[in-house]
Amino acid sequence: MHAELCHPTFRFLQSRAVEALNIEVAEYEHIETGARHYHIASDHDENVFLVAFRTVPEDSRGVAHILEHTALCGSERYPVRDPFFMMTRRSLNTFMNAFTSSDWTAYPFASQNRKDFFNLLDVYLDATFFSRLDPLDFAQEGHRVEFAEAGNAESPLVYKGVVYNEMKGAMSSPVSTLWQTLTRYLFPTTTYHHNSGGEPDCIPDLSYEDLIEFYRSHYHPSNAVFMTFGDLPVAELQQRFEDNALSRFERRDEVIAVDDEKRYFAPVRVEEAYALSQDDLSQSTHHVMGWLLPRSIDLDDLMQAHLLSRVLLDNSSSPLRAALESTELGSAPSPLCGLEDSNREMGFMCGLEGSEPEHAAAFEQLVIDTLNTVAEEGVPQDMVEAQLHQLELSQREITGDGYPFGLQLILASMPAAIHRGNPIGVLDIDPALEKLREQIKDPQFIPGLIRRWLLDNPHRVRLTLRPDAELADRRDAAEASRLEQIKSTLNDEQKQAVIEQAEALEARQQQVDDDSILPCVTLEDVPAELHLPTAADLAQGKLDTTWFSAGTNGLVYQQVILDLPQLSEQEQALLPLYTYCLTELGCGERDYRANQAYQSQITGGLSAYTSLRGGVDDEQRVAGYLVMSGKALSVNSDKLTALMAETLEQARFDEQSRIREIVAQQRARREQGITGSGHALAMMAATAQFAPVARFSHLTRGLEGVRRVKVLDKQVQDTDALAALAGELAALHERIKVAPRRYLLVAEEEHQQAMLEQLNQYWGGLSTAESFAPLSLSSTREGVKQLWLTSTQVNFCACAFPTVPTGHEDAAALTVLGDFLRNGYLHRAIREKGGAYGAGAGQDNGDAVFRFFSYRDPRVEGTLDDFVQAVDWLASCKDEQQRLQEAILGVISSMDKPGSPAGEAKSTYHSSLFGRTPEVRQAFRQQILAVTLDDLKRVASTYLQPERASVAVVTSQKTAESLPADFERIEI
């Protein structure tokens, strides 16, 4: 790697090889503008680009967030209405998005195809540095007022806008409200005081002129950071930066930065309210404490803060988490537990949920007492070393199963770049780890940090967030009053201007742009083959074992896969609790805290989950497995294997108070997750009666699962009911642990022999049942029409139709149909016109269903109508070869998306386990490439018939009152 070989318009500053990650990181400066470029050279062929701007809002009107949306709506070279979304479907990208954080806005993408990468780079550079920022795009993406009845100036005014509705949805989450409220007090004077995404009641105050001024002042190369990853030559990247953007700018002397916060001289204690529209408000209060720590750009302070946070909060053996889990003051630790390290100055938080307002002082005392105890008595040395081990493991692991690996490295190092620190140091933490390893030999090291940063730090906030059943109504009334006030001031000319803007926006949304000005890849650029890892041929031994060799950077991955036995519906409903308890409770002689501590010492994580799928040719025929999964550094491979065998053989279900804590925590997490994943939950509900696995998912992970865990949480307050539950879990375990099983090992080839020997040593003597009845689920194929009621300001709509499984000849066309309808109709109708944050459609081949959905949606009936009208739109499509090609590209891109080395091996194995062998997947890929427009029309008319629709909507009680009576209404 030759990091210094840069373009002549750039100056090379420094580089460093990071052996732990097999990368070389280099820093460059653009000579004319001062823009920084950090390049992570790697032999990965998934290249990543990101440009970020320091964006420092001075209020909560959402200017940075709305600008992020609007900048992507057309640019100088690409003056089409929606180049970003058009490129998502003209590309083989493995990632495309844009993010607004509290003090930066970033535009990243990734692709494995060189031509595609440079196509996207051209569009991204033009969008960010030469955006058109049309006033109608600001109205669409940000906010506007329209008359409730189009063209009727006598009807009420309403607010519309994509970001406006997105933030209404985001701020429906109590956790989002908790975070925004805490940071408002933790940062009284800097930009973090404000909600960079925008508060719904502040967004309408943002003017178009404000947006333009913010763009002019912030989106400039002198305020930009470029970050790239992959195997492309750095000089070639910089040539594009120069030719397409930087050559047209001069250095700007103005420095945009966040100042250090002004420190409190005494702790602050506040109580505020959040909207919760339900009758019973008990056990719904959140308490959280936050401390302001040193700057995040000091690498030593950063690593010490991470270590301190892990020691105090990582698992149930950690002293502060143990106190929060076991107290009677609340039901579970807050989701806001841990370190926030992306701001200029770090923050440490801990809290409780499921409490009462009057417990605030007692909660604070519990935290202070716990910290005092740890400061006085210290922490066991093996606990500190275990958490240092976790930091080392997280540094070494090659990820990439969610975000691309390169993007994860970029995002990890970006705060340091934004705050003008040293991002190279953040990626090469081995020297800092070695320093920590010496520091922790002093038993007073952790107690010293606790005293300095927490106990003796007066910049501390205690926030109590209590529920208010009437707050949402008061907000709605205030919004209505404000709109009435606006309307009362409008003269006839101004009313006509509102109507004309709405008409102009609709016309703009309907216009067909010349997309040929955008670059694209074609089906000719698609690789012929699906690249999947291949399992090694092993000699047939006593244990059914599969081995994959993969470049895992010194980590080993093990899985034990057990057939699920025949289970009653009650036992099925218990599976999420059982799988969580299996690795969270005690094992053998160790109680749950000792077991958590031991897991932390030797593994990078131990977990269990269930995996079920319908058959390739019949969705009603189900296979189901319980998977126990672990990973560790290779030096701990033997201990990991032993622990996994011990966990299955000697798991304990006698720690009843701990089981009660876990139930309370699961309830809290499930309830909080509703508004964040409402579209997925609505789709589960809509498909629940169409397929056995869909019904199982709804029962265990869906809205029915939320209802059941709420009931269970109340039941286990009774001692006898708790004992009965522990007995059910133990009985379930006895049945599962003797089920037939198989083993999956993934590591570098040099570890194969040792790992196979370890597997035989610890698992070879364990028995399985001689007779075994595998899980089978009863058939189901009927629809629903349901409203699921919760506390939310927006809606999540889903509509499903029964179709066919993977093996059917129509499955490929149905798979392409989802992308075709989203790209051609749903995006415009539901997002641009309807104001929802998102909408889409797709075929689920496992359950043999086709699903429509909307996300953070202000409408219900209009959206459900749009789902039906999408099929009518398709029938009217004539010559749409370009759109068809785009839909096929989108499907192929998602199929070809790379994962981590271990993740790809595990995915290939589990797909094959359910009959989706590499051969089946390759054949399906070929079918995708052969789909025609006639195929799409045929399958749509065959399967997407309105009378066969199954509908589920997550909404509020208030919205439900205006919907038809034939919906079944279910309180979550």
Side-chain angles (χ1 to χ4, degrees), residues 122 261 335 430 631 643 660 962:
D122 290 350
E261 186 53 79
D430 277 350
K631 63 185 177 185
L643 175 61
R660 179 188 283 151
S962 64

Side-chain angles (χ1 to χ4, degrees), residues 750-938:
E750 66 208 63
H751 303 299
Q752 178 179 327
Q753 192 59 40
M755 290 179 69
L756 290 172
E757 290 172 1
Q758 292 157 8
L759 197 69
N760 280 309
Q761 177 184 348
Y762 294 110
W763 287 95
L766 301 185
S767 60
T768 56
E770 292 185 9
S771 61
F772 180 81
L775 178 71
S776 64
L777 300 176
S778 54
S779 297
T780 180
R781 204 69 170 160
E782 58 190 52
V784 300
K785 191 172 185 181
Q786 298 172 338
L787 302 177
W788 291 81
L789 308 180
T790 189
S791 184
T792 177
Q793 297 182 67
V794 288
N795 311 296
F796 304 86
C797 305
C799 179
F801 298 85
T803 57
V804 295
T806 308
H808 193 283
E809 61 182 7
D810 287 343
L814 285 161
T815 302
V816 175
L817 179 62
D819 278 42
F820 192 89
L821 293 179
R822 183 196 65 211
N823 298 345
Y825 183 82
L826 297 172
H827 176 77
R828 183 178 71 250
I830 297 175
R831 188 183 194 272
E832 293 182 351
K833 294 171 121 181
Y837 182 51
Q843 162 78 353
D844 182 327
N845 288 313
D847 291 333
V849 291
F850 189 91
R851 310 172 303 184
F852 292 88
F853 72 89
S854 72
Y855 182 64
R856 292 181 179 169
D857 191 345
R859 306 182 302 158
V860 174
E861 291 179 287
T863 293
L864 296 177
D865 288 342
D866 284 337
F867 292 157
V868 175
Q869 287 164 14
V871 181
D872 297 336
W873 168 83
L874 172 64
S876 68
C877 287
K878 296 288 192 290
D879 183 19
E880 295 285 356
Q881 285 307 117
Q882 176 63 34
R883 191 169 271 149
L884 173 66
Q885 178 172 275
E886 290 171 356
I888 292 173
L889 283 172
V891 173
I892 293 295
S893 178
S894 62
M895 291 177 74
D896 290 358
K897 187 178 188 308
S900 68
E904 288 188 346
K906 288 186 279 189
S907 173
T908 300
Y909 174 84
H910 286 277
S911 293
S912 297
L913 196 60
F914 289 110
R916 280 80 171 171
T917 62
E919 294 75 21
V920 168
R921 292 167 70 185
Q922 180 63 36
F924 185 71
R925 189 173 185 274
Q926 293 306 120
Q927 291 170 347
I928 293 288
L929 290 167
V931 168
T932 67
L933 185 60
D934 287 342
D935 291 334
L936 299 188
K937 291 184 176 183
R938 176 178 54 78

Side-chain angles (χ1 to χ4, degrees), residues 669-682:
R669 294 293 173 272
R670 299 290 294 281
E671 285 186 300
Q672 284 157 10
I674 293 172
T675 54
S677 54
H679 62 308
L681 294 168

